[in-house]
Amino acid sequence: MTGPESAPRPLRPATVAVTAGRPAHEPDEPLNVPVTLTSTYVATGELEYGRYGNPTWTAFEDALGALEGGRALAFASGMAAITTILDLVGNGGGIVAPRHSYSGTVAALADGESRGRLHATLVDIADSAAVIAAMEADEDCALLWIESPTNPALEIADIPTLTAAAHGLGIRVVVDNTFATPLLQQPLAQGADIVIHSATKYIAGHSDVLMGAIVVGDDEVYDALKGRRDLAGAVPGPFETWLALRGLRTLHVRLERAAANATELARRLADHPAVEEVRYPGFGAIVSAVLAGGADAGDFVVRATSLWVHATSLGGVESTLERRRRWKLEAATIPDGLVRLSVGIEDVDDLWDDLAQALDRVNA
Ligand code: PLP
């Protein structure tokens, strides 16, 4: 029964994406928050200086926080967000992380290790028993790092199981939610403590912005992370933040089309003789195709397409592809012939025609 006292029904994610973080709609107020370009504020208010806060950041943070179910902080890049979280680990602390995390994350862990700051144990994040055993084996373990799906192997972690086990051992849990986005996966609701995003990818969504974000449920962790952001100055420009918020407004529409395209392309790729294996978790818009012809076949295909742009990064409206092992930092356990496809929102038949003509000519 509904009555005057009943709580309003929470808005659905698509509506939150469009509306969260907007200013109060008073006469003559702008509909959306404008870009506030300033390095300082008139003194004695709450903001004081441009490194501590900005109204455009606040609008972005309110919108992303509402989608993830926590309090968000905007960062200069995904890596700025990642290294800020790693800074929370005390000297000598341990981190268990996926061996197929984004290569920059693995590099940041190796850098911390080489300086004697921390130690990392890399695991197969899809193997929950192995992850739990690794946490149990390290009495200094302070952080479980989860990335799901992983980049570019597209493995899936059991977030609720791993989170429960980590918390039982007094270990904090971070989830890199870049590939899933808050529309397909909300790690805080599954028990995780911290969510990180490369907002460069799906959130901004147009291949024109570098940005990162952290979302947390706990006020103490929020304060610690904001304190580190203020100290390190790992803050985004207001214009970048405005672009990212503008991108976020259409996340649900872009993702729906890109995921539909990805599902169809994964199906067609699986039937192509040049493709040995297709990795697609069944959601999202990244597909990894392992080519039977290895590195040479991969290098041929990325050069032979024209609609698909040969470029790194992902999550834009434009379809891009690259052979991941061209990067020295990429894990040696990623197959040489793995081509990661970031499926955009173009017409799926045009995407397939371009890809198929390249695959058809492999080893021809
Ligand atoms: N996390 C994932 C899963 C990524 O794919 C990337 C970049 O590719 C990052 C983090 C790093 O983000 P950024 O490039 O915005 O620093």
Side-chain angles (χ1 to χ4, degrees), residues 77-79 82 102 105 147 151 176 178-179 196 198 200-201 210-211 314:
S77 66
M79 285 309 298
I82 287 168
Y102 166 59
T105 305
E147 186 177 301
N151 176 6
D176 185 330
T178 299
F179 273 36
I196 98 101
S198 169
T200 310
K201 316 297 192 224
L210 270 175
M211 245 187 84
L314 53 102

Short mmCIF file of all heavy atoms in Angstrom, two decimals, residues 77-79 82 102 105 147 151 176 178-179 196 198 200-201 210-211 314, ligand 1:
data_model
loop_
_atom_site.label_atom_id
_atom_site.label_comp_id
_atom_site.label_asym_id
_atom_site.label_seq_id
_atom_site.Cartn_x
_atom_site.Cartn_y
_atom_site.Cartn_z
N SER A 77 43.76 10.63 -13.28
CA SER A 77 43.77 9.47 -14.19
C SER A 77 43.43 8.23 -13.36
O SER A 77 43.43 8.30 -12.12
CB SER A 77 45.15 9.30 -14.84
OG SER A 77 46.11 8.96 -13.84
N GLY A 78 43.20 7.13 -14.06
CA GLY A 78 42.99 5.88 -13.33
C GLY A 78 44.23 5.51 -12.53
O GLY A 78 44.14 5.05 -11.38
N MET A 79 45.42 5.72 -13.11
CA MET A 79 46.66 5.38 -12.40
C MET A 79 46.86 6.26 -11.17
O MET A 79 47.39 5.80 -10.15
CB MET A 79 47.87 5.48 -13.34
CG MET A 79 48.01 4.35 -14.34
SD MET A 79 47.92 2.68 -13.62
CE MET A 79 49.34 2.66 -12.54
N ILE A 82 44.79 4.62 -8.63
CA ILE A 82 45.37 3.33 -8.21
C ILE A 82 46.54 3.57 -7.25
O ILE A 82 46.62 2.97 -6.17
CB ILE A 82 45.81 2.53 -9.45
CG1 ILE A 82 44.56 1.99 -10.16
CG2 ILE A 82 46.76 1.38 -9.08
CD1 ILE A 82 44.81 1.43 -11.55
N TYR A 102 45.21 -4.92 -15.16
CA TYR A 102 45.73 -3.94 -16.11
C TYR A 102 47.24 -3.82 -15.88
O TYR A 102 47.70 -3.74 -14.74
CB TYR A 102 45.03 -2.59 -15.89
CG TYR A 102 45.72 -1.47 -16.58
CD1 TYR A 102 45.90 -1.49 -17.96
CD2 TYR A 102 46.20 -0.37 -15.88
CE1 TYR A 102 46.56 -0.46 -18.61
CE2 TYR A 102 46.84 0.67 -16.52
CZ TYR A 102 47.02 0.62 -17.89
OH TYR A 102 47.67 1.64 -18.53
N THR A 105 48.69 -1.46 -13.35
CA THR A 105 48.51 -1.83 -11.93
C THR A 105 49.64 -2.77 -11.51
O THR A 105 50.24 -2.60 -10.45
CB THR A 105 47.14 -2.53 -11.74
OG1 THR A 105 46.13 -1.67 -12.25
CG2 THR A 105 46.88 -2.83 -10.27
N GLU A 147 40.25 -7.18 -10.04
CA GLU A 147 39.83 -6.53 -11.28
C GLU A 147 38.94 -7.56 -11.94
O GLU A 147 39.34 -8.71 -12.10
CB GLU A 147 41.06 -6.22 -12.13
CG GLU A 147 40.75 -5.42 -13.39
CD GLU A 147 42.03 -5.07 -14.15
OE1 GLU A 147 42.93 -4.41 -13.59
OE2 GLU A 147 42.11 -5.47 -15.32
N ASN A 151 41.73 -7.22 -17.55
CA ASN A 151 42.16 -6.61 -18.81
C ASN A 151 43.50 -7.22 -19.23
O ASN A 151 44.49 -6.99 -18.52
CB ASN A 151 42.31 -5.09 -18.61
CG ASN A 151 42.84 -4.38 -19.83
OD1 ASN A 151 43.00 -4.97 -20.88
ND2 ASN A 151 43.11 -3.09 -19.68
N ASP A 176 38.65 -2.91 -9.19
CA ASP A 176 38.75 -2.08 -10.38
C ASP A 176 37.54 -2.41 -11.24
O ASP A 176 37.45 -3.51 -11.81
CB ASP A 176 40.07 -2.36 -11.12
CG ASP A 176 40.28 -1.42 -12.31
OD1 ASP A 176 39.28 -1.00 -12.91
OD2 ASP A 176 41.45 -1.12 -12.64
N THR A 178 36.44 -0.80 -13.93
CA THR A 178 36.51 -0.07 -15.21
C THR A 178 35.75 -0.79 -16.32
O THR A 178 35.00 -0.17 -17.08
CB THR A 178 37.98 0.11 -15.62
OG1 THR A 178 38.64 0.88 -14.62
CG2 THR A 178 38.11 0.81 -16.96
N PHE A 179 35.96 -2.11 -16.44
CA PHE A 179 35.36 -2.84 -17.57
C PHE A 179 33.85 -3.03 -17.40
O PHE A 179 33.10 -2.99 -18.36
CB PHE A 179 36.02 -4.22 -17.73
CG PHE A 179 37.25 -4.21 -18.59
CD1 PHE A 179 38.13 -3.14 -18.57
CD2 PHE A 179 37.55 -5.28 -19.43
CE1 PHE A 179 39.28 -3.13 -19.36
CE2 PHE A 179 38.69 -5.28 -20.23
CZ PHE A 179 39.56 -4.21 -20.20
N ILE A 196 37.56 1.43 -7.87
CA ILE A 196 38.31 2.40 -8.65
C ILE A 196 37.89 2.30 -10.11
O ILE A 196 37.50 1.23 -10.59
CB ILE A 196 39.87 2.29 -8.51
CG1 ILE A 196 40.48 1.49 -9.67
CG2 ILE A 196 40.33 1.73 -7.21
CD1 ILE A 196 41.09 2.43 -10.67
N SER A 198 39.13 3.71 -14.15
CA SER A 198 39.73 4.57 -15.14
C SER A 198 38.54 5.22 -15.83
O SER A 198 37.89 4.59 -16.69
CB SER A 198 40.57 3.77 -16.14
OG SER A 198 40.92 4.62 -17.22
N THR A 200 38.65 7.42 -17.84
CA THR A 200 39.10 7.58 -19.22
C THR A 200 38.28 6.71 -20.18
O THR A 200 38.12 7.05 -21.35
CB THR A 200 40.58 7.11 -19.31
OG1 THR A 200 41.32 7.75 -18.27
CG2 THR A 200 41.20 7.39 -20.64
N LYS A 201 37.80 5.58 -19.66
CA LYS A 201 37.20 4.56 -20.53
C LYS A 201 35.69 4.78 -20.69
O LYS A 201 35.29 5.78 -21.26
CB LYS A 201 37.50 3.17 -19.98
CG LYS A 201 38.95 2.98 -19.52
CD LYS A 201 39.95 3.12 -20.63
CE LYS A 201 41.31 2.63 -20.21
NZ LYS A 201 42.43 3.44 -20.57
N LEU A 210 41.44 11.96 -20.05
CA LEU A 210 42.10 11.06 -19.08
C LEU A 210 41.57 11.43 -17.71
O LEU A 210 41.71 12.59 -17.28
CB LEU A 210 43.61 11.28 -19.09
CG LEU A 210 44.46 10.46 -20.03
CD1 LEU A 210 45.90 10.94 -19.94
CD2 LEU A 210 44.39 8.98 -19.72
N MET A 211 40.99 10.47 -17.02
CA MET A 211 40.51 10.74 -15.66
C MET A 211 40.33 9.45 -14.88
O MET A 211 40.16 8.38 -15.46
CB MET A 211 39.17 11.48 -15.70
CG MET A 211 39.25 12.89 -15.14
SD MET A 211 37.63 13.64 -15.02
CE MET A 211 37.07 13.01 -13.44
N LEU A 314 40.29 2.00 -24.44
CA LEU A 314 39.03 1.29 -24.70
C LEU A 314 37.88 2.10 -24.11
O LEU A 314 38.10 3.08 -23.40
CB LEU A 314 39.08 -0.09 -24.03
CG LEU A 314 39.44 -0.09 -22.53
CD1 LEU A 314 38.22 -0.28 -21.66
CD2 LEU A 314 40.45 -1.18 -22.23
N1 PLP B 1 42.32 0.08 -14.87
C1 PLP B 1 42.04 -0.52 -16.03
C2 PLP B 1 41.22 -1.78 -16.03
C3 PLP B 1 42.52 0.00 -17.23
O1 PLP B 1 42.24 -0.61 -18.39
C4 PLP B 1 43.32 1.19 -17.19
C5 PLP B 1 43.87 1.79 -18.43
O2 PLP B 1 43.88 1.18 -19.49
C6 PLP B 1 43.60 1.78 -15.95
C7 PLP B 1 43.07 1.20 -14.81
C8 PLP B 1 44.46 3.01 -15.84
O3 PLP B 1 43.69 4.15 -16.16
P1 PLP B 1 44.30 5.48 -16.84
O4 PLP B 1 44.83 5.09 -18.16
O5 PLP B 1 43.09 6.38 -16.87
O6 PLP B 1 45.37 6.00 -15.92
#
